[in-house]
Amino acid sequence: QGLETSVYKPNWWVLLGDMGAGKTSLVLRFVKGQFSEYQESTIGAAFFTQVLSLNEATVKFDIWDTAGQERYHSLAPMYYRGAAAAIVIYDITSMESFARAKKWVQQVQRHANPSLIMFLVANKADLGAERKVANEEGEEYAKENGLSFLETSAKTAQNVNELFYEIAKRLAKAN
Ligand code: GDP
Ligand code: MG
């Protein structure tokens, strides 16, 4: 029988990004294995509790899914200050959402705790025909700013489990 250690510190992650980038869709794909073309806009913020069993540990965490609208921006620091991980999402079909994501990255890097794990996530990878942001642009920005980078699709589930498990693994290692 293997030894199992548990990580039960207060532990939350935050999803940030422009409205419509796919924050809610990514978390619902991960938590429920579902996707809807008609995902309703998030009001304020919603949270989901998850427990992931890894080989080396069990990681329990809450995911805060924030609303992207400007009128909720003043609330964002409550979610990213003290967060263990931040996932900043943009939509590959929207240059504006990429610009917005860069602003989130800068804001979080200025204010969040230094051990925070941050991922830049290029979502809607299934919409390649409508792509406005090249994979390399996202990848390069991430590299320059010390972030990890993944292209995902909440629709096809591309890289969705990978994203959440990778963060959990790193946190388990850090604890
Ligand atoms: P949020 O405002 O960032 O939470 O974005 P939502 O999750 O509400 O998604 C906005 C819209 O984009 C919805 O119509 C979703 O169905 C759609 N969407 C989200 N993720 C994807 C994806 O990976 N691929 C495609 N094709 N559509 C997506
Ligand atoms: Mg939402």
Side-chain angles (χ1 to χ4, degrees):
Q1 201 171 338
L3 266 184
E4 209 181 311
T5 54
S6 294
V7 183
Y8 279 128
K9 294 183 187 174
N11 177 8
W12 76 89
W13 307 1
V14 63
L15 297 178
L16 298 164
D18 209 2
M19 181 184 163
K23 298 176 293 300
T24 302
S25 297
L26 273 178
V27 78
L28 290 180
R29 162 59 77 191
F30 178 63
V31 171
K32 302 195 170 155
Q34 293 170 353
F35 174 77
S36 165
E37 300 278 354
Y38 309 101
Q39 184 54 51
E40 280 178 38
S41 289
T42 309
I43 297 172
F47 92 95
F48 303 83
T49 297
Q50 282 293 289
V51 180
L52 295 188
S53 292
L54 309 171
N55 290 330
E56 58 276 30
T58 300
V59 180
K60 183 180 180 191
F61 57 95
D62 298 324
I63 305 173
W64 280 101
D65 171 22
T66 63
Q69 296 94 321
E70 204 70 51
R71 67 177 178 281
Y72 296 117
H73 282 180
S74 62
L75 299 178
M78 293 201 307
Y79 303 108
Y80 63 67
R81 280 202 192 117
I87 303 169
V88 178
I89 298 165
Y90 66 90
D91 167 356
I92 65 157
T93 72
S94 160
M95 201 38 112
E96 203 182 316
S97 79
F98 183 47
R100 205 44 254 161
K102 292 178 182 174
K103 287 197 176 139
W104 279 121
V105 168
Q106 288 160 16
Q107 190 178 335
V108 172
Q109 285 190 330
R110 269 199 306 276
H111 302 289
N113 84 58
S115 64
L116 173 114
I117 294 170
M118 185 150 36
F119 261 84
L120 182 65
V121 168
N123 189 43
K124 308 197 188 180
D126 58 288
L127 297 179
E130 295 162 51
R131 179 191 284 276
K132 300 284 186 324
V133 187
N135 176 286
E136 297 72 36
E137 282 183 86
E139 203 164 35
E140 221 152 85
Y141 181 80
K143 202 188 240 175
E144 282 165 7
N145 290 277
L147 317 172
S148 302
F149 176 77
L150 273 180
E151 277 210 353
T152 62
S153 167
K155 186 170 182 174
T156 67
Q158 176 188 331
N159 277 338
V160 175
N161 283 345
E162 286 80 354
L163 170 66
F164 290 94
Y165 273 92
E166 180 59 30
I167 295 173
K169 269 189 220 156
R170 286 203 213 164
L171 286 173
K173 229 176 252 168
N175 275 281

